[in-house]
Amino acid sequence: KQEVTQIPAALSVPEGENLVLNCSFTDSAIYNLQWFRQDPGKGLTSLLLIQSSQREQTSGRLNASLDKSSGRSTLYIAASQPGDSATYLCAVRSWAGGTSYGKLTFGQGTILTVHP
Amino acid sequence: DAGVIQSPRHEVTEMGQEVTLRCKPISGHDYLFWYRQTMMRGLELLIYFNNNVPIDDSGMPEDRFSAKMPNASFSTLKIQPSEPRDSAVYFCASSSLPRPVLTDTQYFGPGTRLTVL
């Protein structure tokens, strides 16, 4: 059974700081990995998706890396801003074979607070 | 597109009552997912549909939970009878599966916050 762990559970940083969120998973037979953002009382918004054959993906100030063999991913946020404050969730798509749709398993999330 | 639409946004009910949550996926998406989020267990997949057909319901906690998708634009998640431990935020998500490279992402609705007293 796939298990996804995120460290730290919470993080508070001053504005402008670069930061790293960590995600680890127990079964390396994944199809892809996604990072989501969740604002209080809202649904999830997909930030980045990394296919299992890829090493990293970038979007603006966000960079996500994937090391499938070691079961790890990191989300790097550059020059953090108060608007980045949210919960960040990592989710892995299990490999279901062929073109079948494997299920997403989520981590518990990291609560990020960026203070001015 | 308005995104994934869920109703109601908040539901408060008493133990033993029937609860029905509704979801309208993004037009053209052929996959629909129901998730439950609690502080204790995080975000868990309950069931998902492909082309209106339930594919994997292994996450449905027990027989009190049922889900249907009568057409491509509507799905319901029903709890009967409801219990206090069902209190959670229930999310609906939809996606499409482009081929040959499966680069899909799921789009989440705003969720329904359910409180069972």
Side-chain angles (χ1 to χ4, degrees):
Chain A
K1 178 186 172 186
Q2 180 73 269
E3 293 183 4
V4 180
T5 303
Q6 290 186 244
I7 294 173
L11 182 63
S12 181
V13 300
E15 181 177 4
E17 194 162 296
N18 302 326
L19 57 98
V20 175
L21 308 181
N22 297 289
C23 172
S24 61
F25 46 95
T26 55
D27 186 351
S28 61
I30 67 168
Y31 194 83
N32 60 39
L33 181 145
Q34 295 184 54
W35 283 92
F36 291 86
R37 168 183 173 140
Q38 184 175 26
D39 292 286
K42 301 285 182 63
L44 279 68
T45 301
S46 181
L47 297 172
L48 290 164
L49 182 151
I50 311 177
Q51 296 291 80
S52 63
S53 58
Q54 297 175 323
R55 298 285 292 185
E56 65 178 320
Q57 282 286 337
T58 298
S59 176
R61 294 182 294 108
L62 305 180
N63 176 276
S65 68
L66 173 65
D67 184 342
K68 197 174 75 164
S69 61
S70 67
R72 296 176 190 271
S73 175
T74 61
L75 178 67
Y76 176 82
I77 303 177
S80 58
Q81 303 170 358
D84 295 331
S85 299
T87 298
Y88 290 81
L89 292 144
C90 166
V92 298
R93 166 78 44 75
S94 300
W95 178 251
T99 56
S100 300
Y101 201 109
K103 61 190 289 183
L104 279 179
T105 303
F106 285 82
Q108 291 281 50
T110 293
I111 302 172
L112 174 65
T113 302
V114 181
H115 47 86
Chain B
D1 199 317
V4 176
I5 299 173
Q6 291 187 246
S7 65
R9 293 295 310 277
H10 302 273
E11 177 80 31
V12 180
T13 189
E14 293 188 348
M15 182 174 63
Q17 296 297 306
E18 177 180 294
V19 175
T20 299
L21 312 181
R22 297 173 175 80
C23 174
K24 176 179 169 55
I26 292 173
S27 177
H29 282 187
D30 52 357
Y31 283 86
L32 183 140
F33 308 81
W34 282 101
Y35 291 89
R36 177 172 68 174
Q37 187 176 39
T38 62
M39 289 293 292
M40 288 295 294
R41 300 174 67 90
L43 198 62
E44 302 173 287
L45 177 67
L46 299 177
I47 184 172
Y48 78 89
F49 296 81
N50 176 218
N51 292 323
N52 314 336
V53 176
I55 303 300
D56 185 348
D57 65 355
S58 59
M60 296 285 262
E62 47 197 277
D63 292 346
R64 297 184 297 106
F65 286 69
S66 63
K68 294 183 180 180
M69 192 165 186
N71 57 63
S73 60
F74 184 66
S75 176
T76 60
L77 177 67
K78 186 175 294 187
I79 308 172
Q80 166 64 16
S82 58
E83 297 182 3
R85 60 194 169 115
D86 302 330
S87 298
V89 180
Y90 291 81
F91 288 102
C92 176
S94 71
S95 76
S96 61
L97 203 61
R99 288 178 170 80
V101 179
L102 304 181
T103 58
D104 71 294
T105 190
Q106 294 185 16
Y107 294 85
F108 281 73
T112 295
R113 182 173 295 277
L114 172 66
T115 303
V116 183
L117 303 174

